[in-house]
Amino acid sequence: MKVLVLGLPRTGTQSLADALIQLGISPIYHMREVGKNQHQALWIEAIDAKFEGIGAPWKREDFERILSGFQGVADYPASIFPAELAAAYPEAAVILSIRSEDKWYDSMLATLVHAHRRREKSDDASSSPMATLSRKYHHHCWGDDFEVTGRAFFREHNALVRELGRDRKFLEWQPQDGWGPLCEFLGVEAPVEGTPFPRSDDWVEYKKMVERERLATAGQE
């Protein structure tokens, strides 16, 4: 394992994952890998061990059941386990991806939180493996009340990752920083001048769909 990106979702984690791949650190384990590899049950097992005391806390050999072969991690579910991953992979550099608290809060409400609440109202809410995983982390991370506790969780999480980075190779990075600080931190050459930094967002189509539904509803009033 080379890099642990331990910032929360909606802090540029997908763009950062794609940038690391362009820089030769590949593959990167991102949320999109969960369903592709049918890892939902394993992550639920890890969450149960961490928050519910079901089984022993996960160590390297446990995470390797999911992360073997990957050179980095980014986004949820991995960043639910900052201390555990930092201990499991002491050789890995740590990156804390950040953005302003207000922008993060608004983005979370428009994506992960909105989609979770929408899913919970659907017919397959009880049977979908991804829904079960989502239900677990929404409960344990912000107590199913993001509006009330989300901001505090953001601050506490970032403070913890900064503390974890005190005695190892550590970078605090935000999307507008682009290639420069990242390449210097990793000790690699920057891409050819003019190469745009990835601006990846798996939620673009979801947000468009929600907006279309909002406009359709407004038109019926």
Side-chain angles (χ1 to χ4, degrees):
M1 186 68 68
K2 293 183 177 179
V3 180
L4 303 172
V5 178
L6 298 179
L8 291 171
R10 311 311 299 164
T11 60
T13 53
Q14 186 181 343
S15 297
L16 188 49
D18 290 346
L20 290 171
I21 291 169
Q22 285 191 43
L23 295 173
I25 299 175
S26 177
I28 301 291
Y29 194 99
H30 182 273
M31 171 63 91
R32 51 196 163 187
E33 296 290 335
V34 178
K36 184 191 304 183
N37 294 289
Q38 298 184 355
H39 283 162
Q40 296 94 327
L42 286 171
W43 285 114
I44 290 169
E45 182 182 325
I47 289 173
D48 285 347
K50 177 182 176 78
F51 295 104
E52 300 181 19
I54 301 174
W58 274 31
K59 297 181 179 179
R60 186 176 185 127
E61 58 267 27
D62 302 298
F63 285 112
E64 281 294 287
R65 294 158 62 194
I66 299 173
L67 302 176
S68 177
F70 287 88
Q71 294 192 352
V73 302
D75 202 69
Y76 267 12
S79 58
I80 297 171
F81 303 91
E84 293 85 354
L85 286 171
Y89 298 100
E91 75 280 9
V94 170
I95 299 177
L96 172 61
S97 52
I98 59 169
R99 70 190 299 188
S100 81
E101 183 178 311
D102 287 342
K103 288 182 178 179
W104 175 81
Y105 177 85
D106 290 343
S107 183
M108 285 288 288
L109 281 177
T111 55
L112 272 79
V113 176
H114 187 281
H116 170 67
R117 291 172 178 170
R118 179 191 183 99
R119 188 186 296 119
E120 286 298 278
K121 296 176 182 177
S122 69
D123 292 336
D124 67 344
S126 61
S127 59
S128 163
M130 194 61 80
T132 303
L133 174 59
S134 174
R135 191 177 302 118
K136 286 278 185 179
Y137 69 71
H138 280 273
H139 175 69
H140 288 297
C141 291
W142 38 82
D144 296 313
D145 197 343
F146 185 82
E147 286 86 346
V148 171
T149 63
R151 289 178 181 273
F153 177 78
F154 176 80
R155 297 178 200 132
E156 291 165 6
H157 177 91
N158 290 345
L160 171 60
V161 177
R162 290 181 182 114
E163 182 64 25
L164 293 170
R166 287 182 61 184
D167 299 318
R168 64 198 297 159
K169 191 172 182 181
F170 174 77
L171 173 69
E172 191 164 313
W173 178 92
Q174 49 191 336
Q176 58 264 40
D177 291 341
W179 292 113
L182 180 62
C183 293
E184 181 179 356
F185 173 71
L186 296 172
V188 300
E189 286 190 20
V192 176
E193 186 174 353
T195 301
F197 196 88
R199 300 295 180 192
S200 313
D201 187 357
D202 282 341
W203 289 94
V204 169
E205 291 305 315
Y206 180 84
K207 288 183 283 188
K208 288 180 180 178
M209 178 193 71
V210 171
E211 179 62 12
R212 287 195 298 269
E213 291 179 353
R214 186 191 68 80
L215 292 173
T217 300
Q220 294 171 5
E221 294 176 352

